[in-house]
Amino acid sequence: MKSREQEYREIFMAEALEYYDAMSRHISELEKTPTDEPALNELFRLMHNLKSNARAMGYNQIGEVAHHMETIFGLIRSKEKTFTGSVVPVLFTGVDTLGNLIRAVGDGQETESVAGVEELLDNLDRLVKGEEPLLPDTETAADDDANRKLELSDLVYIQIKKLDHLLNLVGELIIDRDRILTLSQEIGSPALQATAAHLFRISDELQYSVMDARLVNVGSLFNKFPRVVRDVAAAEQKEVELTLVGQDIQIDRNILQIITDSLLHLVRNAIGHGIEQPADRLKAGKPAVGQLTMSAQTERDDVLIHVADDGRGINIASVRRKAVERGLVGKEVAATLDDAAVRAFLFEPGFSMAQQVTEISGRGVGLDVVKLAIDSLGGQLRVDSTLGQGTTFTLVLPTSIAVKGALLFELDERSYAIPLMHTDSVVSLWPEQLHVVGGTLLADLQEERVPVVSLRRLLHNGDGPLLPVLRSDIVGRQDIIVVNYNNRKLGLIVDRFLRQQAIVIKPMSKPLDTIDLFGGVTLLGSGQVCLVLDVPALTRLFLAKRP
């Protein structure tokens, strides 16, 4: 597996060789037409970008040459110099020298071994001062031109839609692979089983290779936020310092695209709602400048993205009061809810704690938009807050949306799947380990009281509320899958656990796509179609129908 440093070097090489080819083309155009402003502007831009990239990678000689070249092109652009006379061969030599330095990096050589760099820098300095450069004789220059090498990049750029299509094909291959593996075991042919096992290994490697090709650094999105924070803080008349951590964590490009608006909303929310005005911070004993941190980390097969501020935190009492005012919960029930349940109201549509409407907050476009985006990925959104100290929102995201780990189980002799992202645990309990309180079944799991419901009753109940559970309804051992959504746990009673398996989820076709209890379908190795349950929708259904 390649190191991050090697990956960055390859990316730098791909871009640097492209820059070199473009420089060679544009400087030739400029020689024919010295007043060609588009070519001049492009040369200036290319030098500037190459300088920045090289310095970021630690290739200081490339950065120094590009900087000096950028200066000369800047003088030509401002009409202080013209692209004529001795300026022409020096700049052509500069482009050639940059090509030699880039090739040295690609070959793993020290850039200090490249000849002619000091002479070039000296000539560029002479041009800036208005002095004549020291040029080699014409015959030597002609020999160098004749021996010039042509280089192609080792990397190619691929449109994301081509990778999407390739990943869809891999998904179809995995479904057929599982089918062939099952058939080989049923038929019992050793040769077929060996071939099926080899197909399994090859398709598995192909799947991860395609998924790896789609990965991008989180930093490609994070690095766009310093300007956003600056503009939002200025609009709110606040002082905010942004810290970025974990930019090199990798995630599927499509996932990053989907969460872009969510992160933007969370950052605006942190500045608009969380971080106080400088005067208020000083009164609270805090520095006038608020701290906002965006960080990424990996946890097993997931990527966790945190947006944390050191602001006022979430006032649970205010949220509880606002929820009662909005009619989301009764006053008596609200008083019994714990902090996590109260914070869940922040994700309700149109819920806003802003006292007044600004460009940033108070318009009722709340965290529910963020929640829906994360739900669509099969992820989770968590919030932790301490009053007066700050708030942290955590996005729990899958590395890829193509292939997901799932728990397979059986209900009424049919197989179903639940994504592992929302699966907390599986337990088997006897009737005496369950309690009936107010018509709702409860289980004590890991020092926490979790509501439990029969999945059969929940799916086939119709439009009315769930009937109260009676003690006589609970007979024999109960296999329970505990799912977790929006800081709420729910136990689902099923007939039988089957196994854990990686599945390819396909969307439901019309008109079944309107049934929000199912997040899609997959095909098992037996050829059976398996429905994939949507845990957020099931949780919302239970909350709406519970006695």
Side-chain angles (χ1 to χ4, degrees):
M1 186 175 178
K2 295 178 183 177
S3 66
R4 290 284 160 79
E5 184 178 350
Q6 187 178 358
E7 288 181 4
Y8 292 154
R9 190 178 70 83
E10 289 182 353
I11 293 171
F12 168 80
M13 280 298 300
E15 292 183 346
L17 286 172
E18 283 188 8
Y19 290 164
Y20 169 65
D21 289 341
M23 288 173 193
S24 300
R25 185 173 68 254
H26 290 302
I27 200 169
S28 298
E29 294 170 356
L30 199 61
E31 185 181 28
K32 295 176 184 176
T33 313
T35 57
D36 188 341
E37 286 195 12
L40 187 58
N41 290 334
E42 188 64 12
L43 281 164
F44 184 85
R45 184 189 70 82
L46 290 168
M47 292 297 174
H48 180 78
N49 288 351
L50 181 59
K51 175 189 71 175
S52 301
N53 292 352
R55 286 179 172 174
M57 290 293 296
Y59 304 135
N60 295 326
Q61 273 206 308
I62 298 177
E64 195 64 22
V65 172
H67 173 65
H68 279 69
M69 296 279 284
E70 178 189 17
T71 301
I72 300 297
F73 283 119
L75 292 173
I76 297 173
R77 204 167 61 156
S78 62
K79 305 293 192 296
E80 297 178 50
K81 284 194 174 299
T82 57
F83 191 72
T84 56
S86 58
V87 173
V88 177
V90 173
L91 292 182
F92 266 97
T93 302
V95 171
D96 292 342
T97 302
L98 284 172
N100 293 336
L101 289 168
I102 292 167
R103 280 190 287 271
V105 171
D107 294 337
Q109 300 173 1
E110 295 292 332
T111 54
E112 285 75 10
S113 64
V114 175
V117 175
E118 293 303 322
E119 293 85 347
L120 171 65
L121 293 175
D122 180 61
N123 278 336
L124 291 171
D125 284 336
R126 286 172 177 270
L127 289 178
V128 172
K129 296 174 184 176
E131 302 172 2
E132 278 298 308
L134 302 175
L135 300 175
D137 61 80
T138 308
E139 186 176 343
T140 303
D143 288 342
D144 291 341
D145 291 343
N147 294 325
R148 182 178 294 113
K149 294 181 179 180
L150 298 179
E151 297 286 340
L152 290 177
S153 169
D154 290 334
L155 299 181
V156 294
Y157 291 98
I158 302 176
Q159 290 180 330
I160 193 67
K161 65 180 181 181
K162 291 184 178 180
L163 286 176
D164 287 342
H165 179 61
L166 186 58
L167 195 60
N168 285 334
L169 293 177
V170 170
E172 298 289 345
L173 177 63
I174 290 172
I175 290 173
D176 287 341
R177 174 201 71 185
D178 292 343
R179 178 69 176 139
I180 291 172
L181 199 62
T182 301
L183 287 173
S184 69
Q185 292 168 351
E186 291 175 354
I187 294 172
S189 167
L192 182 58
Q193 288 178 344
T195 304
H198 183 257
L199 175 63
F200 186 93
R201 290 193 300 271
I202 295 297
S203 59
D204 217 35
E205 187 173 340
L206 176 62
Q207 170 199 322
Y208 284 106
S209 296
V210 174
M211 288 167 60
D212 186 60
R214 296 167 55 87
L215 297 179
V216 296
N217 290 338
V218 171
S220 61
L221 178 57
F222 276 14
N223 293 334
K224 299 181 185 298
F225 277 89
R227 178 62 186 272
V228 172
V229 170
R230 175 192 173 277
D231 292 347
V232 175
E236 292 282 305
Q237 298 179 338
K238 296 177 180 179
E239 298 178 36
V240 181
E241 180 180 348
L242 175 65
T243 302
L244 301 177
V245 180
Q247 294 101 309
D248 60 343
I249 297 297
Q250 295 194 312
I251 193 171
D252 189 288
R253 186 260 182 198
N254 280 8
I255 293 178
L256 207 60
Q257 179 70 40
I258 292 171
I259 68 167
T260 297
D261 289 342
S262 298
L263 281 181
L264 188 60
H265 186 92
L266 290 176
V267 166
R268 288 175 169 171
N269 188 74
I271 299 173
H273 289 290
I275 295 175
E276 312 93 331
Q277 295 290 346
D280 295 333
R281 291 180 62 86
L282 291 173
K283 287 180 183 177
K286 298 180 179 180
V289 179
Q291 297 296 320
L292 180 62
T293 302
M294 296 179 66
S295 62
Q297 67 182 90
T298 56
E299 185 179 274
R300 297 190 298 274
D301 293 332
D302 304 328
V303 173
L304 273 57
I305 294 180
H306 308 279
V307 178
D309 66 72
D310 68 341
R312 60 173 59 92
I314 297 173
N315 189 319
I316 296 297
S318 297
V319 176
R320 199 189 308 267
R321 186 166 56 250
K322 190 80 171 182
V324 174
E325 291 174 5
R326 288 279 312 277
L328 297 176
V329 66
K331 189 173 182 179
E332 296 77 11
V333 176
T336 64
L337 296 177
D338 60 19
D339 290 357
V342 173
R343 283 196 290 264
F345 289 122
L346 295 170
F347 304 118
E348 292 294 329
F351 194 93
S352 176
M353 295 298 295
Q355 300 298 318
Q356 58 185 8
V357 174
T358 70
E359 290 295 320
I360 308 301
S361 59
R363 299 180 181 274
V365 182
L367 294 170
D368 64 302
V369 176
V370 179
K371 196 79 180 74
L372 288 173
I374 307 305
D375 286 349
S376 71
L377 295 169
Q380 296 185 40
L381 179 60
R382 303 171 185 164
V383 55
D384 296 293
S385 183
T386 302
L387 191 62
Q389 296 182 25
T391 303
T392 300
F393 285 93
T394 300
L395 283 65
V396 184
L397 305 166
T399 308
S400 171
I401 55 177
V403 180
K404 295 182 179 179
L407 176 66
L408 302 185
F409 65 91
E410 200 172 74
L411 186 69
D412 292 334
E413 299 182 352
R414 287 192 60 86
S415 296
Y416 293 85
I418 285 185
L420 290 179
M421 173 71 77
H422 291 294
T423 304
D424 186 80
S425 60
V426 292
V427 294
S428 292
L429 301 178
W430 294 97
E432 55 268 22
Q433 295 174 285
L434 298 167
H435 317 283
V436 178
V437 179
T440 300
L441 199 60
L442 299 173
D444 292 321
L445 300 173
Q446 298 177 345
E447 300 181 356
E448 186 176 0
R449 182 153 286 193
V450 176
V452 176
V453 64
S454 165
L455 182 58
R456 182 182 293 101
R457 295 182 64 196
L458 190 59
L459 293 178
H460 304 302
N461 185 67
D463 295 331
L466 290 169
L467 295 174
V469 177
L470 302 175
R471 169 59 65 180
S472 57
D473 296 334
I474 312 302
V475 179
R477 190 187 70 180
Q478 305 292 310
D479 288 341
I480 301 171
I481 301 174
V482 181
V483 296
N484 191 332
Y485 169 71
N486 200 10
N487 294 319
R488 292 189 177 99
K489 290 184 180 180
L490 174 65
L492 302 173
I493 300 176
V494 300
D495 290 349
R496 187 163 65 99
F497 304 136
L498 293 178
R499 62 188 176 277
Q500 181 179 322
Q501 180 177 316
I503 61 172
V504 178
I505 300 178
K506 295 292 183 181
M508 304 273 281
S509 58
K510 294 182 181 298
L512 298 177
D513 58 343
T514 59
I515 305 174
D516 61 357
L517 293 180
F518 303 108
V521 296
T522 190
L523 194 64
L524 302 180
S526 61
Q528 181 184 3
V529 174
C530 175
L531 290 169
V532 182
L533 295 178
D534 187 304
V535 172
L538 281 175
T539 305
R540 289 192 292 267
L541 180 66
F542 171 74
L543 293 174
K545 289 178 169 291
R546 64 182 172 181

